Amino acid sequence: MNTQTSNLTTLYDKYILGNYPVAPFTLVKGQGTLVWDDTGKEYLDFGTGIAVTGLGHCHPYWVKRIQDQATELIHCTNLYRFPQPPQLAEKLAKYTGPGKFFFCNSGAEANETLIKLARLYGTDKAGEEGKSYKIIGAENAFHGRTFGGMSATPLEKIQKGFRPLLDGFSFGEINNLESFSSKIDEHTVAIYLEPTQGESGVLPCNAEFLQGIRKLCDEHNLLLMLDEVQTGVGRTGRFFGYEHAGIVPDAIAMAKGLGGGFPIGAIWIADKYAGLFTPGTHGSTYGGNPLACTAALSVLEVMEKENLLERVAESGDKLKASLCKLADEYQQHIAEVRGQGYLLGIGMKKDPTDFINNLFEKGLITVPAGANTVRIYPPFNVSDNEIQSALDILEQTLKELK
Ligand SMILES: *Cc1c(COP(=O)(O)O)cnc(C)c1O
């Protein structure tokens, strides 16, 4: 450990809350797929800060747009109009279809807004408060760390120590329609899902299941609310994960990839339900400020200009095929490969902590997830050569793994 690193470790220990298990290196610079630590060591970033930096690090166009906007107007609150939120909403609506947007700062906040939407919908439907508010979510879901998010996240490691949580949640098993339909009663207002569960290990809902859920929601007048915080904004090779199933939800939460690394979250609500939020019902001081919206706008502009959705879809298929080949060759270590596009998970046969640390040492950053999973989330504009280098490191590391 050099002195700079050891000083930093001391500062971390003294001043930074210990809620993260931090890796033993210090990142100081990034460009494209590459990041460097404070010793000058180079890494391929196949974690993208957990599906955030879709354009890679410091994409020149994105940086320029943020710099220019920073000299024009950074913040003024949503009590005033400024050009960027409707511009961003108009661009996003090309993917969502007609509806309205609310901008916030994170995935948890976006999800909180979905849960508030379900409550408003229930109040409207029942004609009184506190009667219809039940939400059916999924086992192993992850929706964030706020009280609403935690309540919708039936994982012991997330909820422990914070109970009592919000009332009214029950949970079905993904890809088992009956486990959802059997929980619907006259007080149910919404079904709430991630199209692919990210934090729990890249566990996809299949198309037939999502279509069945859409039908259930229609039959019982329930909102279909999707958490696309991890799957959205191109990660799966379509703009939203649900598009693979050919359905349309009633409301969507998004965040991670949206700002390309600048904090912004959003929800979209179909026109039919958008009127439930009236003046005073919700807000966010920073949410969707000119700088954040500009960052998101420039992400979408680059994705369009560089045809990144197509690139992720095509290259993601190839990358998955290569990972499946490794899984075949190293069956003693790999159980299966899941996901699509650049939302891929290698399901290991045992805890992948050592494996992931060995990858770090060889210069490849990946992110762990539940179910012994190693997430492979490269930036959308990763080159074929960089993918090959990552595959070589994976193979070499598997070879050495005991
Ligand atoms: C990351 C994530 C969240 C939480 O987002 P934050 O920005 O960390 O609050 C919520 N839902 C899903 C599906 C996520 O992947």
Side-chain angles (χ1 to χ4, degrees), residues 20 50 105-109 111 142-145 194 196-199 227-231 255-256 375:
Y20 284 106
I50 319 187
N105 311 286
S106 69
E109 268 181 272
N111 278 297
F142 179 80
H143 297 293
R145 306 288 194 149
E194 299 156 85
T196 292
Q197 296 182 331
E199 294 307 307
D227 180 349
E228 291 263 5
V229 167
Q230 193 153 158
T231 48
K256 289 193 167 87
R375 280 182 277 189

Side-chain angles (χ1 to χ4, degrees), residues 145-158:
R145 306 288 194 149
T146 55
F147 270 90
M150 284 194 295
S151 307
T153 300
L155 301 173
E156 183 63 15
K157 65 176 180 190
I158 302 288

Side-chain angles (χ1 to χ4, degrees), residues 118-133 186-187 189 276:
R119 289 283 175 105
L120 286 178
Y121 175 64
T123 300
D124 186 64
K125 205 160 115 167
E128 61 178 294
E129 239 174 329
K131 197 163 172 205
S132 289
Y133 59 90
E186 73 268 33
H187 304 301
V189 292
L276 289 165

Side-chain angles (χ1 to χ4, degrees), residues 147-376:
F147 270 90
M150 284 194 295
S151 307
T153 300
L155 301 173
E156 183 63 15
K157 65 176 180 190
I158 302 288
Q159 296 186 343
K160 192 173 186 265
F162 298 109
R163 300 173 181 119
L165 301 172
L166 219 55
D167 204 11
F169 287 89
S170 63
F171 302 94
E173 184 193 341
I174 62 167
N175 300 326
N176 175 351
L177 201 57
E178 153 67 18
S179 73
F180 281 79
S181 60
S182 64
K183 293 187 176 62
I184 298 172
D185 67 23
E186 73 268 33
H187 304 301
T188 307
V189 292
I191 293 181
Y192 189 17
L193 292 170
E194 299 156 85
T196 292
Q197 296 182 331
E199 294 307 307
S200 285
V202 193
L203 308 171
C205 295
N206 64 47
E208 199 189 3
F209 169 71
L210 287 175
Q211 289 154 8
I213 289 284
R214 177 67 273 182
K215 209 157 149 257
L216 264 186
C217 288
D218 290 340
E219 285 164 6
H220 296 272
N221 292 317
L222 310 180
L223 295 179
L224 174 50
M225 311 196 300
L226 293 184
D227 180 349
E228 291 263 5
V229 167
Q230 193 153 158
T231 48
V233 197
R235 189 50 45 197
T236 68
R238 304 290 291 268
F239 196 84
F240 289 114
Y242 68 77
E243 292 176 41
H244 296 277
I247 59 159
V248 179
D250 300 307
I252 308 166
M254 59 201 103
K256 289 193 167 87
L258 184 58
F262 198 93
I264 180 169
I267 76 159
W268 169 85
I269 307 176
D271 273 332
K272 190 173 167 193
Y273 306 106
L276 289 165
F277 280 104
T278 51
T281 46
H282 198 46
S284 166
T285 301
Y286 292 135
N289 79 26
L291 192 57
C293 286
T294 296
L297 269 166
S298 65
V299 167
L300 302 183
E301 286 159 11
V302 171
M303 284 177 65
E304 282 167 18
K305 259 189 279 186
E306 299 183 8
N307 279 324
L308 292 180
L309 283 180
E310 280 162 47
R311 160 88 194 157
V312 172
E314 276 175 34
S315 166
D317 282 349
K318 284 191 223 154
L319 176 54
K320 188 174 182 185
S322 304
L323 294 175
C324 287
K325 207 163 141 255
L326 282 181
D328 260 359
E329 281 165 39
Y330 294 92
Q331 288 178 22
Q332 71 274 34
H333 300 310
I334 301 178
E336 60 173 352
V337 176
R338 297 181 290 269
Q340 59 199 137
Y342 284 168
L343 186 93
L344 296 171
I346 306 175
M348 304 293 287
K349 289 205 164 150
K350 58 173 192 115
D351 183 293
T353 307
D354 287 345
F355 181 58
I356 285 172
N357 287 337
N358 295 345
L359 293 173
F360 283 148
E361 293 212 338
K362 290 190 163 59
L364 177 64
I365 296 180
T366 60
V367 188
N372 292 340
T373 305
V374 180
R375 280 182 277 189
I376 303 292

Side-chain angles (χ1 to χ4, degrees), residues 45-170:
D45 185 2
F46 274 50
T48 46
I50 319 187
V52 171
T53 51
L55 305 183
H57 294 282
C58 302
H59 188 289
Y61 177 81
W62 178 80
V63 171
K64 178 79 170 54
R65 292 274 271 118
I66 290 173
Q67 283 173 334
D68 289 349
Q69 186 59 46
T71 64
E72 289 288 326
L73 184 67
I74 293 180
H75 176 80
C76 46
T77 102
N78 296 301
L79 296 171
Y80 314 107
R81 281 186 187 163
F82 33 98
Q84 294 81 7
Q87 286 169 356
L88 176 57
E90 187 181 31
K91 255 193 180 317
L92 286 169
K94 281 200 278 184
Y95 304 103
T96 56
K100 293 205 167 76
F101 291 84
F102 167 79
F103 295 110
C104 53
N105 311 286
S106 69
E109 268 181 272
N111 278 297
E112 206 65 24
T113 314
L114 285 187
I115 295 165
K116 285 182 76 170
L117 170 70
R119 289 283 175 105
L120 286 178
Y121 175 64
T123 300
D124 186 64
K125 205 160 115 167
E128 61 178 294
E129 239 174 329
K131 197 163 172 205
S132 289
Y133 59 90
K134 290 188 184 172
I135 295 174
I136 308 172
E139 290 168 13
N140 297 311
F142 179 80
H143 297 293
R145 306 288 194 149
T146 55
F147 270 90
M150 284 194 295
S151 307
T153 300
L155 301 173
E156 183 63 15
K157 65 176 180 190
I158 302 288
Q159 296 186 343
K160 192 173 186 265
F162 298 109
R163 300 173 181 119
L165 301 172
L166 219 55
D167 204 11
F169 287 89
S170 63

